Amino acid sequence: MTEKNTNKTPDNKKIGVYICYCGGNISDHVDVEEVKKRAEKMPNVVVARTNMFMCSDPGQELIINDLKSGKIDRVVVASCAPSLHEATFRDAIKRAGSNPFIYEHANIREQVSWVHQGDPATDKASVLVASAAAKAKLLKPLDPVRVEAKKHTTVIGGGIAGIKTAIDIAQTGINVTLIEKSSVLGGQLNNLDKLAPSGEKASEVLQELLDQVLNHKSITIHTDCKIEAVQGYVGNFSLSISKKSNNKIEKFNIETGAIVMATGAIPYIPFDGEFGFGRHEQVITLQNLIQILKDNKSTGSILEVNGKRIRNIVMIHCVGSRQIPGIHQPKEDGKLNEYCSRTCCAAMLNASNQIRENFPATSIYEMYRDIRTYGRGQEELYTQASANKVVFMRYETDAQPEVSLTSGSDYPFQVKVKDSLTFNEEMDVPADLVVLATGIEPDDVSGLASMMKLPIGTDKFLLEVHPKLRPVEFPITGIFLAGTCQAPMDAGEACNAAGAAAVKASALLRKGFIELDPFVAEVNPDKCQGHGACIEACLKEGALNLVEVENDGKTVKRAQVTAAMCLGCGACAAVCPEKAIDINGWALKQYEDMVDAIVSDGFAV
């Protein structure tokens, strides 16, 4: 560690630079101590330190102590991506009693040590630190944008995730409105029998949740609804709703502070002829089989379906999931479901065990690519199925089972498969019933997502900010997501996601106001001429408007920012001919000084 008590420039800013070894992730390729020596020579840098893990408590204490002692008033951290620990370091600065926005980050892991090595890595790390320090000396303390917030949440979707979210939020004392497009609550849970791996009856789980949501005084439920428009911003959203009621359409608005998307998913429907589906009534989906088992009243040792005795069942996994271009047939829009639907394997094994235990004279053959029993207690389903004498056959991706009708046989179908478990021996399996384990697809909410500016992934599921760090949040502040609108989940996982979304929404609204990051556009009214080019360039409708103001006795137009709606993208600043708009925390002068530091070699040894 080196400290210097003199400032090199008259602006009197005192910058502390903190460089992380990242446990070897950085220091294996970057000479961290050399970067520190170079940082000591940079303008305004009065403290330069290194630590094995800057994000650790001891690393944070270095920053806190230097701020409290007055040695520094600006902070630069050179470590991993800011998306991982920017909030960590801002919190540390806040704990030191300083403004959290006097901090700048240099990413020398992803941008340096992971892509360079040796002297070039050390040189580039030094450049990034110099650039961050150049910006840091121009940082000014900022105040969060404060927005008054309605203590109300709207949950869109009345499946298990939506119901659980509504209950959890209401229990914190915040009013909730639950919106469902169909006439009943419960979503896909209405179509299930016994849940895997717990064995609980889906109807009993759903009824318990319905009893809570229907009887909670803080929850208002609207079914048969369609959302026509969504306006506003965090804390102050407005939803326009149309509702079918007694053959009439009623329209009303909901004023709400936060929104939770719990729009759910739907089963994949095989195309006509896929493994014989749609052409033969004895080729059904797993959802059909679950309903049959749910309604089945037959007794005896053999399963009966539509009055027919089922001696052999062939179950085919991964129908509509893990599809591969050139092998599987795409949908009409040309898309393939290349993801794993995750829940199908456990559901299929669960159904197989039920059949084998209740109808032991019915044999089952499961043909699979891979068995993925990933959750707690699910591997036991696989073990149990083996003990129940379910026969497993594994097929390769480019050699799918072939289902064909038979003639002159007691069985209506013959399923041909090359079993890789027996060294690709070709098997002919007779079957009375063929069951397809179909995957799940997201419900089509593209119109709603477009209305709310929500991101959609390549798999057409709604896309969270970060799967680990912000798993139930959208980039649009105040809008959250829960359940299978995000990814395939079983009932337990959907409830866990719902709980997380409820916590986030409740924490956001509980104070009655919200503090947002101040990295938004700011207009200099003395420079603004009201041309309106910034309004056209703005990516968020309503974030920037022209308003009439008095100037020297004349009424003129000036741009005005609605800070709570601003994305901080800078599109407005880029098109302003007078340079009357800047972005707090990312001002043009800061960029210019960063570039000057990058092209300068004054910091090098």
Side-chain angles (χ1 to χ4, degrees):
M1 184 276 292
T2 299
E3 297 179 15
K4 288 178 281 187
N5 297 317
T6 59
N7 294 309
K8 299 179 182 178
T9 54
D11 51 29
N12 214 36
K13 295 296 185 296
K14 298 177 290 184
I15 301 172
V17 174
Y18 303 87
I19 308 165
C20 186
Y21 277 69
C22 201
N25 271 295
I26 292 173
S27 58
D28 283 353
H29 299 289
V30 174
D31 187 339
V32 173
E33 294 302 323
E34 176 62 24
V35 175
K36 186 192 77 169
K37 291 178 182 178
R38 296 181 184 184
E40 294 166 3
K41 300 180 181 180
M42 296 174 188
N44 293 81
V45 174
V46 296
V47 172
R49 302 182 189 274
T50 61
N51 191 271
M52 183 59 69
F53 294 103
M54 279 305 309
C55 60
S56 66
D57 288 344
Q60 293 179 54
E61 285 299 320
L62 294 177
I63 300 172
I64 292 172
N65 291 337
D66 286 342
L67 285 167
K68 284 184 174 181
S69 66
K71 292 175 183 174
I72 63 170
D73 54 22
R74 297 295 183 272
V75 175
V76 170
V77 176
S79 62
C80 57
S83 59
L84 292 173
H85 287 299
E86 181 174 11
T88 301
F89 296 119
R90 290 199 191 282
D91 286 343
I93 294 170
K94 190 183 295 185
R95 294 199 305 275
S98 298
N99 187 286
F101 303 106
I102 59 167
Y103 150 83
E104 180 58 20
H105 198 101
N107 181 356
I108 62 170
R109 188 179 71 171
E110 284 81 350
Q111 294 180 2
V112 180
S113 67
W114 282 5
V115 289
H116 303 287
Q117 55 185 333
D119 291 341
T122 301
D123 291 341
K124 184 176 179 181
S126 302
V127 168
L128 294 182
V129 170
S131 175
K135 179 187 175 185
K137 69 181 174 63
L138 296 177
L139 290 175
K140 60 181 181 180
L142 300 172
D143 294 323
V145 176
R146 180 164 173 158
V147 178
E148 297 301 316
K150 296 178 176 67
K151 296 185 74 172
H152 180 281
T153 302
T154 298
V155 178
I156 303 175
I160 186 172
I163 293 172
K164 186 69 166 60
T165 302
I167 292 170
D168 287 355
I169 293 175
Q171 288 175 345
T172 68
I174 295 174
N175 291 329
V176 181
T177 297
L178 182 61
I179 303 294
E180 168 57 36
K181 68 177 182 179
S182 69
S183 58
V184 296
L185 299 179
Q188 294 300 323
L189 209 61
N190 288 298
N191 303 321
L192 301 181
D193 185 17
K194 291 185 178 180
L195 300 178
S198 65
E200 296 175 280
K201 290 191 72 67
S203 58
E204 295 176 358
V205 172
L206 178 57
Q207 190 57 53
E208 182 180 345
L209 290 172
L210 288 175
D211 289 342
Q212 295 181 59
V213 76
L214 293 171
N215 296 316
H216 204 295
K217 62 181 181 180
S218 298
I219 300 176
T220 302
I221 299 171
H222 295 289
T223 56
D224 292 309
C225 286
K226 180 181 179 182
I227 298 174
E228 303 289 351
V230 180
Q231 296 177 323
Y233 50 88
V234 57
N236 296 273
F237 292 107
S238 178
L239 286 74
S240 299
I241 312 290
S242 61
K243 178 177 180 178
K244 293 180 182 178
S245 179
N246 299 322
N247 296 321
K248 294 181 180 180
I249 301 296
E250 299 177 0
K251 294 191 176 181
F252 59 96
N253 291 333
I254 297 175
E255 305 299 322
T256 190
I259 299 171
V260 179
M261 294 288 288
T263 49
I266 56 176
Y268 168 83
I269 305 299
F271 61 79
D272 184 51
E274 187 172 9
F275 297 108
F277 182 81
R279 299 180 183 177
H280 311 296
E281 65 174 2
Q282 296 297 92
V283 178
I284 64 175
T285 66
L286 176 57
Q287 287 75 23
N288 299 143
L289 177 64
I290 290 172
Q291 192 63 48
I292 289 169
L293 295 175
K294 187 177 179 180
D295 300 336
N296 198 289
K297 307 298 182 184
S298 62
T299 58
S301 64
I302 194 165
L303 177 66
E304 292 187 9
V305 176
N306 297 326
K308 298 179 181 178
R309 290 163 57 84
I310 306 300
R311 296 158 293 177
N312 282 4
I313 300 177
V314 168
M315 296 184 169
I316 301 176
H317 286 247
C318 292
V319 179
S321 300
R322 303 175 66 204
Q323 295 175 318
I324 298 175
I327 293 180
H328 295 96
Q329 178 177 321
K331 302 183 74 173
E332 293 180 358
D333 59 3
K335 299 290 186 180
L336 292 169
N337 296 339
E338 299 184 42
Y339 54 85
C340 172
S341 291
R342 301 176 75 243
T343 62
C344 325
C345 287
M348 188 75 101
L349 291 168
N350 194 39
S352 294
N353 285 326
Q354 287 184 56
I355 294 171
R356 287 294 300 155
E357 289 166 7
N358 295 315
F359 307 101
T362 297
S363 299
I364 297 177
Y365 299 84
E366 290 207 19
M367 299 179 181
Y368 70 96
R369 284 168 60 186
D370 298 286
I371 294 288
R372 294 188 171 182
T373 49
Y374 63 91
R376 178 177 294 178
Q378 291 187 11
E379 184 68 15
E380 284 78 355
L381 291 173
Y382 183 54
T383 304
Q384 184 182 353
S386 298
N388 284 332
K389 298 183 180 179
V390 173
V391 179
F392 291 96
M393 298 177 173
R394 186 175 188 178
Y395 65 91
E396 298 297 334
T397 306
D398 57 353
Q400 298 186 84
E402 298 177 9
V403 179
S404 58
L405 290 173
T406 61
S407 58
S409 171
D410 290 341
Y411 294 89
F413 299 108
Q414 175 178 282
V415 183
K416 182 180 293 185
V417 64
K418 286 185 177 180
D419 181 14
S420 64
L421 300 178
T422 57
F423 306 101
N424 289 326
E425 184 176 354
E426 193 168 276
M427 305 284 190
D428 291 328
V429 181
D432 297 299
L433 188 69
V434 176
V435 180
L436 309 180
T438 50
I440 66 172
E441 301 175 316
D443 204 354
D444 184 11
V445 291
S446 55
L448 191 55
S450 176
M451 197 184 301
M452 301 166 70
K453 303 294 189 293
L454 304 179
I456 297 178
T458 56
D459 55 10
K460 295 185 287 187
F461 287 93
L462 294 175
L463 193 62
E464 70 285 342
V465 173
H466 192 286
K468 292 182 179 179
L469 302 179
R470 297 174 65 187
V472 295
E473 298 176 64
F474 285 114
I476 308 300
T477 305
I479 306 180
F480 307 93
L481 73 168
T484 54
C485 64
Q486 178 182 11
M489 300 180 186
D490 64 22
E493 291 172 322
C495 286
N496 291 339
V503 167
K504 286 289 185 180
S506 301
L508 185 72
L509 301 178
R510 67 187 177 193
K511 295 179 181 178
F513 66 88
I514 300 165
E515 290 187 341
L516 306 175
D517 282 347
F519 307 125
V520 296
E522 186 175 51
V523 178
N524 185 338
D526 295 331
K527 291 184 177 181
C528 179
Q529 297 299 310
H531 297 304
C534 55
I535 312 297
E536 297 177 9
C538 183
L539 301 178
K540 178 66 173 177
E541 184 178 353
L544 198 59
N545 297 286
L546 285 180
V547 297
E548 292 184 346
V549 298
E550 292 295 324
N551 185 31
D552 293 334
K554 297 180 180 179
T555 300
V556 296
K557 290 185 176 181
R558 295 289 184 263
Q560 185 178 78
V561 178
T562 302
M565 299 183 71
C566 180
L567 302 176
C569 63
C572 55
V575 299
C576 180
E578 283 81 24
K579 296 183 180 179
I581 304 180
D582 240 331
I583 306 298
N584 284 328
W586 288 101
L588 180 59
K589 182 64 170 70
Q590 293 170 345
Y591 275 114
E592 291 172 346
D593 280 21
M594 291 175 76
V595 172
D596 288 344
I598 290 172
V599 299
S600 171
D601 61 356
F603 61 85
V605 174

